[in-house]
Amino acid sequence: MSLPIRGVAHPPPCRDGRGNRADLSRAEIQSTDLAGKPLLNEHDSNERVGTVLASWEGPRGELRVAANVEDPAAQEQVSLGIV
């Protein structure tokens, strides 16, 4: 059984140009499609915890996702508000 979640995967880009080089630009956020990709715990490719169902640009310019958490330990962490 999986646990459906929705949330922010990446904050909106900095408007003042002082952001981190690793930050996504608005164009990158708008064109990103994570559907079908693995849901990772803290970007660790060795720790797949589920599957991303959809991604989209949120109302404040953030990258949002809908996903299913399939890993029981990660489900418990989500339920407890740890992650």
Side-chain angles (χ1 to χ4, degrees), residues 2-5 34-40 48-54 65-71:
S2 62
L3 175 66
I5 62 166
L34 298 175
K37 303 283 188 205
L39 179 66
L40 305 176
R48 183 182 185 279
V49 297
T51 304
V52 177
L53 303 173
V65 296
N68 282 333
V69 179
E70 298 148 0
D71 179 78

Side-chain angles (χ1 to χ4, degrees), residues 17 23 25-26 28 30 40 42 49-50 61-62 65-66 68 70-71 73-74 80:
D23 286 346
S25 69
R26 183 161 191 235
E28 289 169 320
Q30 290 174 333
L40 305 176
E42 297 297 329
V49 297
E62 73 277 17
V65 296
N68 282 333
E70 298 148 0
D71 179 78
L80 294 172

Side-chain angles (χ1 to χ4, degrees), residues 16-68:
D16 61 9
R18 295 185 303 168
N20 185 312
R21 288 188 324 196
D23 286 346
L24 297 177
S25 69
R26 183 161 191 235
E28 289 169 320
I29 288 174
Q30 290 174 333
S31 64
T32 296
D33 181 7
L34 298 175
K37 303 283 188 205
L39 179 66
L40 305 176
N41 184 21
E42 297 297 329
H43 303 280
D44 183 347
S45 61
N46 294 316
E47 198 170 346
R48 183 182 185 279
V49 297
T51 304
V52 177
L53 303 173
S55 63
W56 64 96
E57 181 183 15
R60 292 171 298 286
E62 73 277 17
L63 177 62
R64 299 191 61 84
V65 296
N68 282 333

